[in-house]
Amino acid sequence: MAVYEILPTTNLKWDDIRDTLNANGGNVNNMAITAFQSGANIQRWAKYKPVVYYKDFTSMEEEWWRGDDLKCGLTVRYSPTDGDIIDIYKRGDAYTYNYLTKGPYRLGDFRGYYPKAEPYIRTNVPQDKVFEWDFNNDGDMMLPIQVVRQSDTSLTINDVKLPLDMGNLNILVERYNKNPIEEDDALAKDSQYFPITGTFPYVEFRGLRSDYNVQYFLLSLTDKGINGYNVPMPYDEKNAYLIKIKNIAKAVITGSISQFALSTKKVWSNVSDYLETPYDSNGGSSSPVLFKSSIKNLSTAAITFNNTDSAVRSHTIKIKATGEVNGEYREYNIDCSIWNGFDGASTSSLVISPSQTKEVIFGTSEGLFDKFREAGKNNLIYINAVVVNKNTKSENTISSIRIMIN
């Protein structure tokens, strides 16, 4: 009596079969027939498991495990015979294991049974996972797909008979703007084919691009029209057929850059209203503080504050976000502590010390842009650097970055 990771191929005992099945979610009692019924919770992707086969006794040397129909005990549904490929995925019956309803019942079919087997094509992406990828800065996404070509415990790509020309087998990748399994109005943007013939154990999906903040890649098998069928990807909870990718560089900076150099002529008439110490020790006028907006990449931007005069004691700056949502103007004073460059201080303004340069870097991760997001629209907002008049507390925008969000 024991629980096995893989049931032995020799000296297999009934107690070992029963206990191993029960340890992996089965409900098998001391009646042997219960090991062949749905309560046994048999792993469909296991190579060795009970199948309909004409012999009463088998040997490990013959391919009995493929069954009489060469489908390894599975019913495989495919398009167009069983409906649209999306409908098949929605029903959840793309691959079903057929429990025996008649004999011969062979306990020997459990020799080598592996209850944790996985599909013969593996995305290695859990169904509930959402990838984050910066398409603009990290380039096209590459997704390695594992193709099981040889295994003594799990089904391989050559085991299950499919209605496809296996010499021209491809993975079809269709890109959607919405989840096509959950939303009927999801639209396919484009598609790509990736051949999986040959012997290499991995297929590298390259060129996956994003036009959406979150997009969905639907995977299926095809021979590119030779036999006219489209077969669902084999899948389980660890290997999704629908890959969800969040483009973390989307809803970010796509606008132009504005650069401003402060001077007594260009920005305001009286610099002394804005500088705590407007004159140097020799009585001369102070040099201006330089403000420069820049886009570092498509997911982050920066405003640089450069106090070029050692006599300037401090310079008070605020950063505001402004824009419209549903035709309503919105303005937010940004808590400077959430961005780099403010020394972690919980304050609404930045004070520049003499001869000091500070760079404020900000991006899409702070949740700021959610305040301006409007369903179905691209909204233009501005991140403004604002200088504060120390006497009147009035504010003057001196640097701005345009940001398009969707």
Side-chain angles (χ1 to χ4, degrees):
M1 174 180 173
V3 174
Y4 286 89
E5 180 179 353
I6 301 173
L7 285 174
T9 57
T10 59
N11 299 319
L12 180 63
K13 299 178 177 61
W14 161 247
D15 289 354
D16 300 336
I17 297 173
R18 178 197 62 204
D19 295 343
T20 298
L21 289 172
N22 286 340
N24 289 276
N27 183 19
V28 177
N29 58 34
N30 287 326
M31 297 179 63
I33 190 64
T34 59
F36 299 90
Q37 297 172 341
S38 60
N41 194 34
I42 291 174
Q43 173 55 253
R44 59 184 168 176
W45 304 119
K47 177 168 247 178
Y48 304 116
K49 58 188 180 293
V51 295
V52 174
Y53 191 61
Y54 69 97
K55 286 187 177 182
D56 290 332
F57 301 96
T58 62
S59 68
M60 296 300 288
E61 285 70 35
E62 61 182 304
E63 292 186 342
W64 60 265
W65 41 268
R66 296 189 71 191
D68 288 337
D69 62 359
L70 305 180
K71 295 182 180 178
C72 303
L74 302 178
T75 293
V76 182
R77 292 174 174 82
Y78 47 89
S79 176
T81 302
D82 298 298
D84 182 83
I85 194 72
I86 292 179
D87 291 333
I88 296 173
Y89 279 135
K90 285 181 178 180
R91 294 198 305 264
D93 61 355
Y95 294 84
T96 55
Y97 170 66
N98 300 312
Y99 289 91
L100 300 189
T101 58
K102 63 180 181 178
Y105 297 95
R106 298 174 298 269
L107 289 176
D109 284 7
F110 285 102
R111 291 171 295 175
Y113 173 69
Y114 179 38
K116 299 189 183 302
E118 295 184 34
Y120 51 86
I121 301 178
R122 303 171 187 173
T123 60
N124 294 303
V125 178
Q127 290 190 24
D128 58 353
K129 181 178 178 62
V130 178
F131 273 110
E132 290 189 349
W133 191 264
D134 187 341
F135 285 89
N136 298 95
N137 297 292
D138 296 333
D140 296 347
M141 185 172 182
M142 183 190 72
L143 185 65
I145 303 298
Q146 182 180 1
V147 181
V148 181
R149 302 190 187 278
Q150 292 183 337
S151 176
D152 292 329
T153 58
S154 301
L155 292 175
T156 73
I157 193 171
N158 297 313
D159 288 339
V160 182
K161 182 181 178 180
L162 299 175
L164 299 173
D165 183 336
M166 299 302 286
N168 292 280
L169 193 60
N170 282 254
I171 296 180
L172 170 62
V173 182
E174 296 177 282
R175 183 163 61 105
Y176 284 82
N177 64 331
K178 297 179 181 180
N179 188 329
I181 307 303
E182 298 178 354
E183 302 188 57
D184 293 336
D185 61 345
L187 298 175
K189 178 71 174 180
D190 52 38
S191 60
Q192 298 180 73
Y193 294 93
F194 295 89
I196 55 175
T197 55
T199 60
F200 195 67
Y202 283 91
V203 176
E204 295 182 349
F205 288 7
R206 296 180 181 272
L208 303 186
R209 290 188 171 274
S210 171
D211 291 334
Y212 311 106
N213 187 28
V214 178
Q215 63 180 347
Y216 301 83
F217 292 102
L218 185 72
L219 280 57
S220 61
L221 301 177
T222 178
D223 56 13
K224 300 182 72 172
I226 292 178
N227 287 348
Y229 299 112
N230 194 12
V231 178
M233 279 280 288
Y235 63 91
D236 61 12
E237 65 277 0
K238 296 180 181 179
N239 298 277
Y241 61 82
L242 183 67
I243 310 299
K244 298 175 279 292
I245 302 176
K246 180 179 181 181
N247 183 6
I248 59 175
K250 194 63 181 172
V252 294
I253 299 115
T254 59
S256 60
I257 302 170
S258 300
Q259 296 184 5
F260 298 82
L262 298 188
S263 70
T264 56
K265 295 180 179 179
K266 291 185 178 180
V267 180
W268 53 75
S269 59
N270 189 352
V271 174
S272 63
D273 287 344
Y274 295 88
L275 302 182
E276 296 292 341
T277 307
Y279 299 102
D280 62 25
S281 58
N282 297 321
S285 63
S286 172
S287 298
V289 177
L290 177 67
F291 295 79
K292 181 180 180 181
S293 301
S294 63
I295 294 180
K296 301 181 74 64
N297 53 54
L298 287 181
S299 62
T300 57
I303 299 179
T304 302
F305 306 88
N306 183 17
N307 189 338
T308 59
D309 195 322
S310 61
V312 177
R313 299 294 180 184
S314 62
H315 199 103
T316 302
I317 303 297
K318 287 184 177 181
I319 296 184
K320 292 177 174 288
T322 61
E324 290 188 0
V325 177
N326 294 320
E328 178 184 347
Y329 176 79
R330 295 188 182 183
E331 178 179 296
Y332 297 94
N333 288 315
I334 306 305
D335 179 2
C336 297
S337 64
I338 67 173
W339 288 347
N340 297 330
F342 289 95
D343 303 325
S346 181
T347 178
S348 61
S349 61
L350 168 69
V351 177
I352 309 174
S353 301
S355 300
Q356 187 178 42
T357 297
K358 287 191 175 183
E359 183 182 54
V360 181
I361 301 175
F362 54 93
T364 60
S365 62
E366 293 83 17
L368 166 67
F369 300 142
D370 291 337
K371 298 177 183 294
F372 294 96
R373 205 164 260 124
E374 184 177 351
K377 291 186 177 181
N378 293 330
N379 279 7
L380 183 66
I381 68 172
Y382 294 84
I383 302 295
N384 302 311
V386 177
V387 64
V388 182
N389 186 308
K390 72 180 183 68
N391 297 316
T392 65
K393 306 303 180 184
S394 61
E395 300 173 351
N396 192 347
T397 298
I398 45 75
S399 188
S400 183
I401 298 178
R402 294 192 303 165
I403 298 177
M404 183 71 73
I405 66 172
N406 68 358

